[in-house]
Amino acid sequence: AEDGIRDVERSRGLGDVYKRQFPKPLIIEAEKHLSKAEIVSNQVLYNLLERDVEKETWPYMREKGIVLISYSPLAKGLLTGKIKSINDLPDGDFRREHPILLNEENMKQVRALLSIIEDLARKYDKKPAQIVLNWLLRFEDVYPIPGARKPEHVEINAGASGWRLSDADWRLLDEASKRLKFSYYKFR
């Protein structure tokens, strides 16, 4: 890690270094080797289904003022309401190998969470993706970067800002998400 970070520092003359998916120990190690730069953001997998970063990495990032850039905030489409089973994806789609999709018990939990998301979408007259992204936008130090395969996806994603879930609805979604217990060992 040290050589790679120093190479970036030398070759680009950076004041800050961007690195993706650093766990807490690697952030600490990188900070030891940066003489002219500081880590200002860390792009990590973070969404309502995948929250492991909350255990150790994000608290450390917050302590150091490092912004969390959330990639796959819609869990590769699982949180949009359009994928309710592996059969909703065409053959050859890389998402067919997503570990959550490979276990029917996992998908039952996803569908239960989606039911809450869809109820909130109706309540706020929004799309499920907008509810999910708005949940993330409540955090001042989180910047989601959702994908968009079509122009209408960009419009939907943009519609997640400019309004807020009520505190009660935000907590409902947050608590439902925290109750998820996925297995990555039992496959189809």
Side-chain angles (χ1 to χ4, degrees):
E2 178 181 352
D3 291 338
I5 291 168
R6 285 206 175 130
D7 287 346
V8 168
E9 203 174 26
R10 276 192 304 270
S11 68
R12 307 232 9 233
L14 294 175
D16 299 319
V17 171
Y18 164 80
K19 179 62 183 149
R20 176 178 167 176
Q21 199 68 6
F22 268 23
K24 179 183 174 184
L26 196 50
I27 293 172
I28 292 169
E29 186 65 22
E31 288 173 326
K32 289 178 190 176
H33 301 289
L34 294 171
S35 60
K36 298 177 192 168
E38 68 178 292
I39 299 172
V40 296
S41 68
N42 189 12
Q43 184 175 323
V44 296
L45 180 64
Y46 185 57
N47 58 57
L48 284 164
L49 302 181
E50 297 155 307
R51 298 178 70 168
D52 286 344
V53 71
E54 291 176 352
K55 294 176 187 164
E56 182 179 47
T57 303
W58 193 13
Y60 182 78
M61 289 168 56
R62 283 182 154 172
E63 178 184 316
K64 296 293 187 174
I66 300 169
V67 169
L68 188 156
I69 298 174
S70 166
Y71 79 84
S72 196
L74 300 173
K76 296 181 178 30
L78 287 175
L79 293 172
T80 64
K82 295 179 181 166
I83 304 168
K84 304 242 172 139
S85 83
I86 200 163
N87 297 323
D88 292 335
L89 296 169
D91 290 339
D93 189 306
F94 74 96
R95 294 173 296 174
R96 290 182 72 91
E97 300 303 318
H98 194 292
I100 293 173
L101 267 170
L102 295 173
N103 182 309
E104 183 52 35
E105 291 304 312
N106 291 346
M107 286 307 297
K108 284 181 186 175
Q109 293 180 74
V110 172
R111 287 189 292 271
L113 181 63
L114 277 171
S115 177
I116 295 168
I117 292 167
E118 289 167 345
D119 287 347
L120 291 172
R122 283 187 289 279
K123 177 179 178 177
Y124 288 88
D125 193 29
K126 300 290 181 184
K127 301 284 187 189
Q130 294 170 323
I131 299 295
V132 172
L133 293 171
N134 190 269
W135 175 83
L136 282 165
L137 291 171
R138 178 69 72 89
F139 300 105
E140 292 180 6
D141 56 346
V142 173
Y143 296 88
I145 49 172
R149 293 179 183 215
K150 301 175 182 175
E152 57 264 25
H153 294 165
V154 174
E155 291 176 22
I156 290 168
N157 294 342
S161 63
W163 62 280
R164 285 175 66 125
L165 290 166
S166 71
D167 291 345
D169 289 338
W170 187 91
R171 276 191 308 277
L172 171 72
L173 200 49
D174 187 62
E175 291 167 7
S177 168
K178 285 181 177 175
R179 287 192 299 270
L180 300 174
K181 302 287 183 230
F182 294 128
S183 169
Y184 296 99
Y185 302 106
K186 181 182 173 190
F187 298 102
R188 356 173 194 154

